[in-house]
Amino acid sequence: MSDGRFVFADDSSSSLSINAIEYDIQPSWKVLTVDDDHGYQQSLIYSLNDLEVNGRPVEVLSASSATEAAYVLSQHNDIALVLLDVVMEQDDAGLRLVETIRNVQGNSLIRIILLTGQPGFAPRKDVMLQYDINEYWNKSEVDHETLKSIAAANFRSWQSMHELDKARMGLQLVVDASRNIASKYDTNTFIQVVIKEIVGLFGGFGDPILCVLRMDKDNTIDNAPIVASYGIPDVEQGDILPDKLKIEFEELIRESIAHQNHKFRSNLSVLYFSGDNHGSYNYLVLAESKKCLSDYHIRLLQVFSENISSGFMQIALVNQLSKLAYQDVDLDVKNRNWLLRELEMMNRDDMAQLEMLVVELDDYDTHAISFNQQALLELVSSVCQCLNETFHESAVVTRVGSDRFAILYNKSFALSDDELVTLSSVSHSVGDYQVRCTLTFARVELSQLSDYPAQQILHMARSLLCCARENKIKIMVYEPSYRESLMRDYQILGDLKAAIESDEFYVVLQPKCDLKTGRAVGLEALLRWKKQETTIPPNIFIPVAERSGLINKLDAIAAKLTFQALHQLEDAGINLPTSINATVKDLTDPEYIGLLLDLVRGENLNPDLIEVEITESQAMESYLEIKPVLEHLHHAGIKISIDDFGTGYSSLSHISQLAVDTIKIDISFVRHLHEDMASQQVVDLVMSLASLFDFSVVAEGVETDVQRDALIERGCTLGQGYLYARPMVVDELLDWLKQNESDCSE
């Protein structure tokens, strides 16, 4: 080809056939020629028309401009090769198309060969450095056979990179499909793909002998393990290199390691790959072909090896990211992400054998205030170590929160409740200090939640922990009835929100009476909810309202309804002090306090008729918060009552400092007063406190004459309960009060 033009072969010329990778299907290789010279483009099409690679024909698409080419590329995602003229409708049209392919369409696999008829227009070196192209040729250099060789080589390279890219994209799927990421993921799957592709590249030279060595810093050729092999009989993973291959490859291996590069000699190849970014280990692929490699195959191996290198780097990165994603970096244990993934991957048989224990460190916030960050981490780490040492070695301890752990273990290795109680209070060393930490446990048999998503299982365990804290117990065990109660509460919550909007609430008033005469001396207002024709008991909806934060709204509704009831009573000539129930959330809410004071002023009622009741336990737990609030209400003329007295842990100093007018003896002491010495002592103590601090005393739940007489005997003169009257709506109360007045006058 002395004139530099294409030589057009006649119909009888033999087609070029390169035996390489075998595929299940044999589609056409797609080539896009982009050139505004129609004659030259036709010569390209003719030259490629009879090319066959791996038994697959070539399909040539054509475009006469960069714009047309971009459209063709958008319609065909399997184009392997672009033969691209540099200068077309604009001087840089070809180069701009390269930018479009790589950066706009995001196609990094397609092979791009620049063909220019103006060699001086775009210097080869600058173009290769600046643009992501694969080859650069002057049109005058490319004859009929050269074009076929170029196309064939690039087809093979594209196919190899295409398969490798699919393998890389599948790496994360391999990770997620693996039950043991550390042992099964690693690089084994990737190496198997690499071997398969290299075997394919050697197809024209007969089946090669291949093996992959892992070379750590401490390894030598004599002890480096084989991690994968092909065509070597009686060699398994972990074996060392057979003596015959060691002799053949020893010199090339040493050169490859010394230069950290690939080495080729005759029919032997050593491909060098760094295993990670730190160079702490590397892989050597040893290949022995039946024939000597051509320059073309060496070049193809080198190109392919660049993709292999990227794959190894990507695997190292994925491993690092996996550790960050699934490992708690502070404690070096599995984290919440790992546990969620593990639960999602379990089948019913797995769950039938496993139990999960969720452990929470009590008073974590207090510890966080008491210790600096490092000391707090030492404390949590010590708890984690204690859990690891206590449970069977097969158990997996995971950190699922700053103060919370979840432990997966076979049910046969479960600790007893007594063992957990012992574990729940252990001293831990933090610097020079010994800190006693208490733990709360939620035990879940996974078989009972096998139909639920992983997130829901963890939420369920967290809910169990909250329930355990509320009930002041150390161990909460999941039962199906627990979820049923949650669903019932959820339904109640929805109905409760609707009821607030629909004004479905009303108040009932229960008289407080003189125990001796039975005459009414006061009232307690109680909120009730009637949904259609069904009355929902307060012990059902009040706890839901408290947990959901709706209690403030309900108590505000109760206050408004109580003032309306007082007006009705006032209109009937009745003025009895009436108490309303409030929570700490109410008393620390400026809106509620403002509403209460506005009602007192706006409704033109005597504030002496209003009494606010708060439970003893809440008053003591939030003593500092509510003390000034109670004083403020007291100064406004509103009386204060401590409800359920005796069930909490009041200190004399605290109870004496609160602005309190009345103490109510809890029903639990009244019920057993006539027979239980402890109840009698509590009532005696309350009466002594009342005398000491000038409190009034009201006994709750008086239901029998025996209880009434026992209270009177101990100096208690006021009470409320079914012995005298049940809670009543205003109209019923008015009738009862008339009868009560009549009875007391006789």
Side-chain angles (χ1 to χ4, degrees), residues 587 593 597 623-640 654 656-661:
L587 298 179
I593 299 300
L597 295 176
Y623 172 78
L624 294 177
E625 290 180 272
I626 68 167
K627 182 176 182 293
V629 178
L630 296 182
E631 290 175 353
H632 179 57
L633 293 176
H634 210 262
H635 290 154
I638 297 174
K639 293 184 170 16
I640 307 299
H654 282 178
S656 65
Q657 293 299 315
L658 289 177
V660 174
D661 299 284

Side-chain angles (χ1 to χ4, degrees), residues 142-406:
V142 181
D143 61 13
H144 179 80
E145 295 300 324
T146 303
L147 178 62
K148 289 187 175 184
S149 295
I150 293 170
N154 280 278
F155 288 151
R156 294 177 59 192
S157 183
W158 176 85
Q159 185 65 46
S160 299
M161 289 189 294
H162 178 67
E163 291 297 319
L164 185 60
D165 188 65
K166 288 196 298 184
R168 277 205 300 265
M169 287 190 295
L171 281 177
Q172 189 57 52
L173 293 176
V174 173
V175 173
D176 292 337
S178 172
R179 298 290 295 141
N180 299 299
I181 184 174
S183 62
K184 290 185 179 179
Y185 171 56
D186 203 16
T187 55
N188 290 341
T189 303
F190 180 73
I191 288 174
Q192 293 298 330
V193 173
V194 169
I195 287 180
K196 177 183 175 183
E197 297 298 333
I198 292 179
V199 169
L201 290 176
F202 278 95
F205 296 85
D207 277 350
I209 291 174
L210 284 175
C211 70
V212 182
L213 299 181
R214 175 177 168 127
M215 302 288 293
D216 294 330
K217 288 182 177 180
D218 299 331
N219 285 142
T220 64
I221 302 173
D222 294 326
N223 60 16
I226 294 174
V227 295
S229 65
Y230 176 87
I232 308 176
D234 302 324
V235 169
E236 296 181 358
Q237 186 174 349
D239 290 350
I240 60 172
L241 200 63
D243 291 339
K244 178 179 180 299
L245 293 180
K246 188 186 304 180
I247 294 170
E248 290 179 344
F249 281 95
E250 185 170 7
E251 185 176 349
L252 271 188
I253 289 174
R254 295 190 189 282
E255 291 180 10
S256 179
I257 294 174
H259 296 94
Q260 297 185 5
N261 206 345
H262 315 307
K263 293 296 177 182
F264 305 92
R265 181 177 301 162
S266 186
N267 65 330
L268 303 180
S269 304
V270 176
L271 306 179
Y272 177 95
F273 304 104
S274 179
D276 62 5
N277 292 315
H278 310 294
S280 57
Y281 64 94
N282 55 68
Y283 291 97
L284 298 179
V285 178
L286 314 184
E288 180 180 355
S289 58
K290 302 294 184 183
K291 303 175 184 178
C292 294
L293 297 178
S294 65
D295 290 342
Y296 155 71
H297 275 86
I298 291 175
R299 185 167 67 249
L300 193 58
L301 274 174
Q302 289 172 325
V303 171
F304 184 66
S305 295
E306 291 304 312
N307 291 281
I308 297 174
S309 294
S310 299
F312 277 120
M313 289 299 105
Q314 183 168 330
I315 288 172
L317 177 61
V318 168
N319 281 332
Q320 185 177 359
L321 291 176
S322 294
K323 184 171 183 180
L324 292 174
Y326 300 122
Q327 199 84 356
D328 184 89
V329 293
D330 291 327
L331 304 185
D332 196 28
V333 295
K334 305 298 184 185
N335 63 14
R336 181 187 179 90
N337 291 336
W338 181 90
L339 180 61
L340 287 172
R341 191 192 60 175
E342 195 74 6
L343 291 173
E344 287 289 0
M345 292 167 58
M346 287 181 187
N347 56 40
R348 289 181 177 273
D349 291 338
D350 293 333
M351 288 192 166
Q353 301 177 48
L354 295 176
E355 187 171 278
M356 182 175 72
L357 187 74
V358 181
V359 185
E360 193 165 73
L361 177 61
D362 298 335
D363 302 319
Y364 180 79
D365 291 335
T366 301
H367 293 308
I369 295 171
S370 304
F371 301 112
N372 60 35
Q373 190 63 31
Q374 182 58 38
L376 183 64
L377 182 59
E378 286 182 25
L379 177 60
V380 175
S381 178
S382 180
V383 172
C384 181
Q385 182 180 349
C386 180
L387 294 174
N388 268 314
E389 292 173 351
T390 302
F391 284 84
H392 189 269
E393 60 182 10
S394 63
V396 181
V397 176
T398 64
R399 190 183 188 188
V400 295
S402 56
D403 58 345
R404 196 158 58 255
F405 298 91

Side-chain angles (χ1 to χ4, degrees), residues 470 485-486 489 540 542-551 585:
E470 288 177 6
S485 69
L486 288 182
D489 287 352
I540 296 296
I542 292 297
V544 174
E546 289 176 339
R547 288 193 295 270
S548 65
L550 290 178
I551 193 65
K585 289 184 178 180

